[in-house]
C-alpha cells in the first residue's frame, strides 16, 4: 500500500542525535508514512543506527550513498519518495508526535494549499528547550519571504507542487530549503500552522554554526534568482550586511 506521507532524513555523521530523530518520526500519531533515510557516506556509526531501525520497522528505507554533500543528498532522498505529501526532518532535530497528523489535515482540507509549515522550538545538544524560534514569529508574506525566511520548520508539501516548483536545486548550496520555499511561494498557497511541532537543535556542529558566511551568500544568490523570476530585478537588488558579535568566553581548564 502506497503511504500518504513520505518523510526524508538526509544523514552525514550524526550518530549522537540520529536515534532521537528517527524515533520522533516513528512515534507519530499518524502512521501512514514511509521514512527514507539517506546516508551521505557517513564515517561514523550513523548508517548502522539507521539500518538497526530499518530492521525493526518496515516503513523505513535506508539508502547508503557516496558522500556528495547535503544538497545532492537531499535531492537524492526526495527522488525515492512515493507519498502524496512529502517533507523532511534534519538528522539532529526532533518532530513533535502530532506533527504529521496536524499538517496533513491542513493539506487534506485545503486543496489549493501546496505547503504548510509550523512553529518550532529551539533546543540545545541536551534537548533543553531554549525558546520559540524567532523565524516562525514573523507573519507569512510572499514578499517578505524575500528577506525573512519565516517558512522554517516543519514543512509538509504536496509532492506534485514540490515537483512543479522544480524540487531541490542542485546549485542552491546550503540554503536548499529557503530556495525551495521561495519558488513554492510563487506558484502555490502556503499556510502557517501556528503550533510548535518541531524542535530545531542548535549546537556547535550544526551547519548554521559552521557555515554561517556561506549560508548568507547562498541566501543572497537565492533571493537574486527570485527577483529575476518575479521580474523585480530591474527595480530591486539585494544587499547583504554581515554583522559580527564578539564576546569573551572562559577557557575550559584541562
Amino acid at each position: 500500500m502506497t503511504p500518504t506521507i513520505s518523510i526524508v532524513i538526509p544523514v552525514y555523521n550524526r550518530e549522537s542525535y540520529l536515534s532521537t530523530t528517527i524515533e520522533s518520526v516513528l512515534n507519530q500519531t499518524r502512521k501512514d508514512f514511509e521514512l527514507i533515510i539517506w546516508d551521505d557516506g557517513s564515517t561514523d556509526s550513523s548508517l548502522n543506527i539507521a539500518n538497526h531501525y530499518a530492521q525493526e520497522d518496515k516503513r523505513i528505507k535506508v539508502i547508503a550513498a557516496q558522500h556528495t554533500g547535503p544538497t545532492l543528498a537531499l535531492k537524492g532522498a526526495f527522488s525515492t519518495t512515493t507519498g502524496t505529501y512529502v517533507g523532511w526532518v534534519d538528522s539532529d532535530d526532533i518532530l513533535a508526535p502530532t506533527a504529521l497528523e496536524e499538517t496533513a489535515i491542513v493539506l487534506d482540507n485545503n486543496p489549493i494549499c501546496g505547503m504548510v509549515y509550523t512553529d518550532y522550538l529551539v533546543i540545545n545538544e541536551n534537548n533543553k528547550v531554549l525558546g520559540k524560534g524567532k523565524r516562525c514569529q514573523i507573519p507569512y508574506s510572499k514578499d517578505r519571504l524575500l528577506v525573512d525566511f519565516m517558512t522554517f520548520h516543519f514543512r509538509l508539501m504536496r509532492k506534485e507542487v514540490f515537483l512543479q516548483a522544480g524540487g531541490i536545486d542542485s546549485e542552491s548550496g546550503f540554503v536548499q530549503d529557503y530556495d525551495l520555499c521561495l519558488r513554492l511561494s510563487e506558484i502555490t498557497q502556503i499556510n502557517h500552522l501556528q503550533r510548535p511541532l518541531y524542535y530545531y537543535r542548535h549546537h556547535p556542529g550544526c551547519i548554521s554554526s559552521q557555515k554561517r558566511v556561506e549560508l548568507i551568500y547562498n541566501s543572497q544568490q537565492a533571493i537574486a534568482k527570485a527577483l529575476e523570476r518575479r521580474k523585480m530585478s530591474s527595480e530591486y537588488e539585494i544587499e547583504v550586511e554581515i554583522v559580527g558579535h564578539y564576546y569573551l568566553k572562559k577557557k575550559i581548564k584541562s
Side-chain angles (χ1 to χ4, degrees):
M1 184 176 177
T2 303
T4 303
I5 303 170
S6 296
I7 296 298
V8 302
I9 301 178
V11 183
Y12 180 66
N13 290 350
R14 280 287 183 258
E15 61 182 5
S16 298
Y17 306 115
L18 184 57
S19 291
T20 302
T21 302
I22 294 172
E23 288 177 11
S24 77
V25 178
L26 297 181
N27 290 333
Q28 290 298 298
T29 54
R30 180 149 179 173
K31 306 297 184 182
D32 56 332
F33 64 85
E34 64 176 355
L35 174 58
I36 310 295
I37 304 174
W38 184 284
D39 185 82
D40 186 33
S42 293
T43 57
D44 64 1
S45 63
S46 294
L47 181 58
N48 291 334
I49 292 170
N51 283 328
H52 166 75
Y53 283 97
Q55 291 173 0
E56 300 291 325
D57 196 312
K58 63 182 180 181
R59 294 173 297 180
I60 300 175
K61 180 181 179 181
V62 177
I63 295 97
Q66 294 183 340
H67 183 60
T68 58
T71 304
L72 292 180
L74 187 60
K75 188 179 182 73
F78 272 117
S79 72
T80 68
T81 58
T82 62
T84 303
Y85 303 150
V86 295
W88 82 84
V89 179
D90 288 338
S91 57
D92 48 1
D93 294 342
I94 299 173
L95 200 58
T98 61
L100 296 189
E101 181 178 358
E102 294 193 51
T103 53
I105 287 174
V106 175
L107 296 181
D108 289 343
N109 294 336
N110 297 273
I112 64 172
C113 175
M115 185 184 92
V116 55
Y117 71 100
T118 74
D119 289 349
Y120 67 98
L121 300 173
V122 180
I123 59 174
N124 66 11
E125 57 265 40
N126 298 314
N127 297 333
K128 180 182 178 180
V129 174
L130 304 179
K132 189 175 182 180
K134 294 181 179 179
R135 297 174 189 259
C136 61
Q137 298 180 54
I138 303 170
Y140 174 71
S141 162
K142 172 186 172 182
D143 293 330
R144 189 168 176 179
L145 185 60
L146 285 166
V147 291
D148 282 316
F149 182 23
M150 76 285 290
T151 55
F152 200 50
H153 285 298
F154 166 68
R155 295 176 295 266
L156 194 67
M157 303 162 281
R158 296 186 191 278
K159 188 176 182 182
E160 62 179 355
V161 177
F162 168 80
L163 294 174
Q164 183 184 348
I168 302 299
D169 184 349
S170 302
E171 306 298 322
S172 57
F174 291 106
V175 295
Q176 317 94 334
D177 49 359
Y178 183 35
D179 174 71
L180 174 62
C181 287
L182 282 167
R183 286 182 279 117
L184 285 168
S185 73
E186 295 157 14
I187 66 169
T188 192
Q189 178 181 304
I190 293 176
N191 284 14
H192 179 196
L193 178 58
Q194 297 181 41
R195 294 259 295 142
L197 300 176
Y198 193 89
Y199 296 85
Y200 172 70
R201 192 184 304 276
H202 189 76
H203 58 93
C206 66
I207 289 178
S208 61
S209 296
Q210 294 188 336
K211 304 290 185 180
R212 181 172 176 268
V213 174
E214 290 95 328
L215 278 165
I216 291 170
Y217 283 115
N218 288 162
S219 296
Q220 181 184 21
Q221 293 167 350
I223 295 166
K225 289 180 180 179
L227 290 173
E228 287 281 352
R229 288 191 305 270
R230 301 181 187 196
K231 303 188 185 306
M232 298 171 62
S233 57
S234 61
E235 189 176 357
Y236 296 96
E237 62 182 0
I238 183 70
E239 289 190 0
V240 176
E241 179 182 353
I242 300 177
V243 180
H245 297 281
Y246 303 90
Y247 58 93
L248 295 179
K249 180 181 178 181
K250 282 193 174 182
K251 291 183 177 180
I252 300 175
K253 295 181 180 180
S254 55

